[in-house]
Amino acid sequence: MPAIQVTNLTKTFRTKHKAAGLGASVRSLFRPEYRNVEAVRGLSFEMESGELLGFIGPNGAGKSTTIKILTGILFPSGGDAKVLGYIPWKQRQKLAYHIGTVFGQRPQLWYHLPAIDTLTLFGKIYEMEDRETRSRIAELAEAFEITDLLETPVRKLSLGQRMRCEVAASLLHKPELLLLDEPSIGLDVVAKQHIRDALRDMAKKENVGVLLTSHDAGDLEALCKRVIIINHGQIVYEDKVSTLKRSFLTSKLVEVRYAEQISTSFHIAGTETLKVAKERYGVKLRFDARTTPVEKVMAALSAAGTLLDITVSDPPLEEVIAAIYKTAEKSDADEGRNRG
Amino acid sequence: MKKYLAVFKINLLNSLAYPAEMVTRSAMILLFMWIFFQLWRITFAAAGSDSINGLSLHDTMWYLLLAETLELGRPRLARVISEQVKDGSIAYLLNKPYNFLVYQLSSGLGESLPRMGMLFVLGGALVWAMAGPPPDLVNWPLALVALAGAWLLHFCVNALIGLAAFVAEEVAPFEWIYQKFTFVLGGMLIPLDFYPAWLQTIAKSLPFAYMMYGPARLFVLPDMQLFAQIIIGQLLWLAIFGGLLVLVFSRGMRRLAINGG
């Protein structure tokens, strides 16, 4: 049985609309105007149990709304969804025993109290035995390296430390599925890595499925096997992360360092020269491997001078995702023009 | 049940996290009680009598102390729920395996009890010094039972106003109106006994009297007949508001729109 089954899910919010100015404010008192905002439009997908699925999209794409529907907090306007066999909005409390959630922008730990107090409270809420709660806290404290932080009031923790405690709290009751909404938002590189490593290890060890929304392609690369990209409440891409990289990562970035100064008019046909640095004799260029053979570029670079160092890399995943968004938006616009 | 006890406990701990702040905040009751004493001392002197409609200055002050304790110490649930909807933190409260309304009840009780205790002790010390010792201890059990009923009624009405945030988001105006009704028709500023008979009849047929006047009046002048009337009234209004609360919550969930996605 899939952990998540979503079929034609829709969610429309009705929002009050008011033009600027005093007159418009008075008018809206008597004749309020409402607009319907379609946050999720006919979303369908499945997620297997134990799968690590990335749910990526720009602001307002409908990611958080979908997660909130899947946890049972929001009622959908249409469509069906089952999470671990439960209909979330009808069986919210039963489902809650089996899922863990982290909403990265909202704290669930009690701000003025040490994290251990919230964890102990959650143990009671999930109806765990005291002994079981204590041993689970010790296990999570080790996995997330928070043993020394547990007795410090949450307000005194750094964001990275707090987020480690937040994620640990969501795993306390050994959920089968974790729904993480932007768990790495605002964190520095080290803190992100810390959380990703601990999450990946825990998910593997306990076979927990993870549905992760993020703006950070690093989260996706580090944690997820499959990715769904949504925009305007609809799926625009769905495949393995490795396929995404293969299909869209066709351009290569090359950074070279020479032993001596090379010509400032340096150029290789079929490549775009990004930088020729005089100080350390460095060159940075980009090319599309489909049209310009790698071999040809390497030969030309070697012929230009004595090579000291060379690095070939893929462009960041953010660029790839941005390209997919643009493609989807362009096809939306074309579709709109054709309809018009 | 254990989970709700744990919720109560953590709220209690949270309220006690800053004891100095709680004492300072509660100290405002000293100012209120001092002003009330000056007002009523002059009023009683002007009336030229030791009692007005059966209440002495001493009774009036202890009545007002209990009413103020309840008003200042009850949880501001409407504001809390409205904030939770606005900042989106309600998402964490709704996705846990408990009854949301019972959670709010346990949470409110944990927050309210230490505050009410502190208000009563501080205000009581001043009232004792100004107007004399507290009512006889035998008066207290009846008043405490009615106080519990009054607190629950406040909880239900406040939670109802809070749930309006699921749709309206800003609930401060509703809360303001409700508070003014309890001030005037609940007998918080003036004991209902001082009102003309027709206004007393109106006030006593509304729920506000059971939220403030009932326990405060029983505290100073206990009476089994009045006690029975108040408890029956409280149970009736609790059934109405409690039922409405459950209904509005289940309907409200369908219309909930959480900020931030």
Side-chain angles (χ1 to χ4, degrees), chain A residues 92 101 103 106 112 127 155, chain B residues 3 18 92 94-95 259:
Chain A
R92 183 166 45 89
T101 44
F103 298 105
R106 332 248 181 256
H112 297 295
E127 296 171 19
R155 67 175 185 277
Chain B
K3 59 179 83 176
Y18 297 101
Y92 275 127
L94 289 170
N95 71 2
N259 286 347

Side-chain angles (χ1 to χ4, degrees), chain A residues 122-187:
Chain A
F122 284 3
K124 298 274 186 204
I125 286 175
Y126 288 104
E127 296 171 19
M128 294 163 69
E129 293 296 331
D130 290 349
R131 193 190 300 168
E132 189 191 355
T133 305
R134 277 195 298 273
S135 75
R136 182 65 173 163
I137 290 174
E139 190 184 354
L140 291 166
E142 195 186 330
F144 285 88
E145 296 177 30
I146 53 171
T147 310
D148 297 337
L149 311 175
L150 285 177
E151 290 177 3
T152 307
V154 170
R155 67 175 185 277
K156 293 192 174 166
L157 300 179
S158 71
L159 182 62
Q161 291 171 331
R162 184 172 70 72
M163 279 313 293
R164 274 188 278 153
C165 295
E166 294 274 358
V167 179
S170 71
L171 283 161
L172 184 78
H173 54 296
K174 295 188 177 169
E176 293 156 55
L177 176 67
L178 260 189
L179 298 153
L180 306 174
D181 191 7
E182 308 272 4
S184 62
I185 198 160
L187 299 184

Side-chain angles (χ1 to χ4, degrees), chain A residues 65 68 73-75 92-93 96-97 101-103 106-108 110 112-113 117 121-122 124-127 155, chain B residues 3 6-7 10-11 14 18 87-89 91-92 94-99 253-254 256-261:
Chain A
T65 302
K68 282 177 185 126
I73 300 166
L74 293 180
F75 275 61
R92 183 166 45 89
Q93 285 192 47
Y97 285 103
T101 44
V102 173
F103 298 105
R106 332 248 181 256
Q108 65 176 327
W110 286 65
H112 297 295
L113 300 176
D117 285 340
L121 170 72
F122 284 3
K124 298 274 186 204
I125 286 175
Y126 288 104
E127 296 171 19
R155 67 175 185 277
Chain B
K3 59 179 83 176
V7 172
I10 201 165
N11 274 280
N14 198 45
Y18 297 101
D87 69 17
S89 57
Y92 275 127
L94 289 170
N95 71 2
K96 296 278 185 299
Y98 48 54
N99 180 304
M253 273 302 290
R254 291 176 174 274
L256 174 65
I258 298 172
N259 286 347

Side-chain angles (χ1 to χ4, degrees), chain B residues 130-163:
Chain B
M130 293 186 304
D136 203 319
L137 276 176
V138 294
N139 298 8
W140 293 41
L142 294 187
L144 276 175
V145 174
L147 190 70
W151 191 93
L152 278 173
L153 266 175
H154 273 294
F155 168 81
C156 290
V157 177
N158 245 276
L160 270 170
I161 296 172
L163 291 182

Side-chain angles (χ1 to χ4, degrees), chain B residues 6 9 16 22 25 55 73 76-77 95 97 100 104 115 121 128 138 143 148 180 184 189 215 219 227 259:
Chain B
K9 205 171 127 191
L16 300 173
M22 191 174 75
R25 198 184 279 200
L55 289 177
R76 296 292 186 260
L77 197 59
N95 71 2
F100 177 76
Q104 294 288 3
R115 203 165 56 218
V121 169
W128 194 335
V138 294
K180 301 309 165 257
V184 180
L189 292 176
F219 186 47
F227 177 71
N259 286 347

